Amino acid sequence: MKGIVKFVQGNEACVEGALYAGLDFFAGYPITPSTEIAEHLAFRLPKAGGKFIQMEDEIASMCAIVGASLTGRKVMTATSGPGFSLMQEALGYAIMTEIPCVIVNVQRGGPSTGIPTHVSQGDVNQTRWGTHGDHSIIALTASNNQDVFAMTVEAFNISETYRTPVVLLFDEVVGHMRERLVLPQKGEIPIVERLRTSVKAGVDYHPYLPREDGRLPMSDFGGVHRYNVTGLYHDMWGFPSDDPGVVHGLIRHLVDKIENRTSQLARFKDFYTEDAEFLLISYGSAARSARHIVERRHRRGEKFGLLELMTLWPFPYDLVKQKAAGARYIVVVEMNTGQICQSVRLAVDRPERVFLANRIDGVLINPTDIQRMLHVIGGKGV
Amino acid sequence: MALKNYIRERFFPHFWCAGCGHGIVMNGLIRAIEKLGLSKNDVVMVSGIGCSSRITGYLDFHTMHTLHGRALAFATGIKLSRQELKVIVPMGDGDALAIGGNHFIHAARRNIDITAIVMNNRIYGMTGGQYSPLSGYGTMASTAPYSNIDQSFDVVELAAAAGATFVARSTTYNVIEMAEMIQNAILHKGFSVVEIMSQCPTYFGRRNKLGDAVDMLKYMNRTTTTIGSQWIDEDQELIEIDSEAKEEQLKIERGIFIRKERPEYCAAYDEVIRRAKEGK
Amino acid sequence: MQGGLDKGNPKLRELVINRQWCKGCGVCVAFCPKHVLELDDKEKAVVARFEECICCRYCELRCPDLAIEMPLLPQYGPNDLSA
């Protein structure tokens, strides 16, 4: 990969990725540790002719990007836990109305205001089930700047492809850590543009009638097709309906369009997993420490492997099951009380093999922490 | 008839109760838009949740039925993205000023070119008649069975203080005036607010013994006046009906209260883009 | 508004009431200055005294159900509310 090399924070890498993907509308509200994303975009977006607005709160930020997306913009907002809680209402609206948007959550410790300047991965399950009602969601994560960039581009591409919100679940360490970022050249990573309807003016357009491949071509607000958008269950024209057939069809569509593509949506990296006796599963900044351990033990000839998850939702059950098939110990390394560990246990055969190695004190889990826990798990004492 | 060009006829008769003022607001709104000769493709209508918010479904524009109180936030995203579109946001009183109060004052403060229409029937109708921030002290509601102790907002004063550059009030009785105010509001460059006092005979009228829709319209006629008119001390009939409100014997004023120029948000952002591109 | 006419309006072609949409609130009946309209036994508005209509259009403008139309005779031009 060649291109401009930068030395930036993860939050800036996210900004670079968003602009590379074609972001042209951002609405947000200041919150640590995500604020740099808003600051950089306030500077960068107008230079590119895009729009930046600081709204009165995170509720309004999320609503504004959904409105903007409906006029044809590529949109994003960025926040952290407390703001993400406020966004849940409009996140559900975006899911229901199938409006593409990207939401960045640079996680800090919770619940409530928690520990604003310290790291956590406590919002994993909130991302899955934070908004009310049955639904499905896509959440991506990354552990280093290059991947933050790549996953941000992916988030836009997936959001446009499936007409659904995509959550980028970063964490404070990833967001604030400075490291090298190589900016890919234009065209190096493919960009998905919005699929717009080819239906001509005056011909009946069905905004909510999926094509055979499940995709819904959109028509921008202000264009030739006037239709309705509502958070109520709706028919193929977008008008409210309580017909049981319509309701069932829509909820199945919303869930299936994501859950049926779990394997296609699974982004991950694996290191020496083929014959690993100790399989570590991690993500985000915790995966950096996990990788350190795995590399060291692997060099010593020990059978250590790492599966770094970059798609957290929909959870790649089949992938985890397959990678974990031959492992004697499966150790999930994360900074919460076991939110992904729970899913791993559901995924694998003989879940008694699954152990949690975690920190929940606002401090990055480091290789020594993991090392100690591995000793205990392996029956070797502290 | 021309009015039918602007509605989605297949959803009629609409779901509002007999005599509901919201139908009269819709009637006036369509006539205002017709009079302005706006292309339907250039109008975006965004609403929140409640009886009033169902208006979007009946009108043949680009319509968005959003979340309770959040319509102005969605509308802000739409307007800032495509400022050539006319963005109209009809809201109920609870929608606009309780759950949506923060969005309301901030949209006014930014002076973004959106027309907010507050369909004020002083009650939450959809959920069955609970008091709203505009019900007023001494009114009855299903959640104020011993009489309401919540004071109400004055929408006009609130909007003006928050920075709206066009603020008007009318009623569903004064239909021609109402349509003209909506026209002026849509034409105004900046955040415009039109409060339209509307009747809910089913809940507000019944609980407060104000009679049916006809009685409530007559009541609005008696209790409102154009800006600058007389006190109503001498109106004995009204004092008898509304003895609780004796303390405030001012008639409610109708008319255009504020109409002024201040930089409009989208236009100001164009300047930001210009400065950013010039590197200043 | 009504141009001082106190009996009938030669401009008016007909007064159409959409019975499917009318919910019988009586607003049009109550505020008609010439008592042109009535509610029938089905609680729907009906035209009782067409010849009295002065074409003030308040019934049409105040109808919450959008159920009243007042088309004018073609020679009086477009259907404009600024009578």
Side-chain angles (χ1 to χ4, degrees), chain A residues 51 56 226 228-230, chain B residues 41 63 65 70 80-81 110:
Chain A
K51 305 280 173 87
E56 54 269 26
R226 295 182 303 278
N228 191 52
V229 175
T230 177
Chain B
N41 283 345
T63 56
H65 177 231
R70 319 284 175 227
L80 186 56
S81 294
R110 286 185 196 104

Side-chain angles (χ1 to χ4, degrees), chain B:
Chain B
M1 168 178 124
L3 189 139
K4 286 193 175 158
N5 291 336
Y6 294 89
I7 62 175
R8 291 164 171 156
E9 254 189 87
R10 64 187 182 284
F11 300 121
F12 281 71
H14 58 56
F15 95 126
W16 291 313
C17 303
C20 174
H22 293 347
I24 306 180
V25 176
M26 180 162 72
N27 196 327
L29 177 59
I30 295 170
R31 288 171 205 281
I33 289 171
E34 183 186 15
K35 199 84 182 279
L36 291 172
L38 300 178
S39 158
K40 291 192 283 185
N41 283 345
D42 292 338
V43 177
V44 176
M45 207 168 274
V46 187
S47 66
I49 293 294
C51 288
S52 58
S53 300
R54 289 301 187 97
I55 192 171
T56 45
Y58 297 121
L59 296 172
D60 187 20
F61 305 114
H62 299 284
T63 56
M64 195 179 191
H65 177 231
T66 67
L67 300 165
H68 199 22
R70 319 284 175 227
L72 282 170
F74 284 95
T76 298
I78 291 171
K79 184 66 187 182
L80 186 56
S81 294
R82 289 198 60 174
Q83 48 186 297
E84 70 276 17
L85 298 174
K86 288 284 182 193
V87 181
I88 303 170
V89 182
M91 298 177 283
D93 42 310
D95 193 40
L97 296 156
I99 191 163
N102 201 31
H103 309 306
F104 182 82
I105 57 173
H106 286 277
R109 177 179 60 79
R110 286 185 196 104
N111 195 33
I112 187 163
D113 188 14
I114 291 172
T115 299
I117 297 171
V118 181
M119 301 156 78
N120 173 15
N121 61 5
R122 306 177 68 186
I123 202 89
Y124 288 89
M126 185 75 95
T127 44
Q130 298 74 34
Y131 64 87
S132 88
L134 296 182
S135 292
Y137 189 89
T139 54
M140 302 299 286
S142 69
T143 44
Y146 306 110
S147 171
N148 187 18
I149 56 165
D150 273 37
Q151 301 289 344
S152 58
F153 278 132
D154 181 320
V155 181
V156 167
E157 286 181 6
L158 180 70
T165 48
F166 181 101
V167 182
R169 176 191 286 134
S170 187
T171 81
T172 47
Y173 179 85
N174 308 88
V175 277
I176 292 173
E177 172 193 276
M178 179 233 289
E180 278 170 3
M181 276 179 194
I182 296 173
Q183 273 182 52
N184 281 310
I186 293 172
L187 287 176
H188 178 77
K189 185 93 177 145
F191 191 71
S192 51
V193 178
V194 185
E195 177 194 4
I196 301 169
M197 296 169 65
S198 170
Q199 74 277 12
C200 173
T202 305
Y203 292 112
F204 193 83
R206 192 157 47 89
R207 284 191 187 272
N208 290 284
K209 301 195 168 35
L210 289 171
D212 62 10
V214 171
D215 297 324
M216 293 182 81
L217 284 166
K218 286 179 180 166
Y219 179 77
M220 278 195 278
N221 181 34
R222 273 202 317 280
T223 55
T224 66
T225 182
T226 49
I227 294 174
S229 280
Q230 295 296 307
W231 294 65
I232 55 156
D233 292 314
E234 63 278 6
D235 191 337
Q236 286 308 314
E237 192 195 354
L238 179 71
I239 290 168
E240 270 168 41
I241 292 171
D242 203 0
S243 58
E244 293 275 325
K246 250 181 196 163
E247 300 279 311
E248 301 169 72
Q249 287 298 347
L250 262 179
K251 281 202 187 193
I252 297 166
E253 290 180 312
R254 305 189 316 270
I256 296 171
F257 296 81
I258 306 274
R259 194 180 210 167
K260 62 184 180 189
E261 294 278 313
R262 201 155 56 79
E264 192 277 326
Y265 193 81
C266 301
Y269 199 85
D270 286 343
E271 278 301 298
V272 169
I273 291 176
R274 191 186 58 75
R275 289 199 293 272
K277 284 185 171 170
E278 285 174 5
K280 285 174 189 169

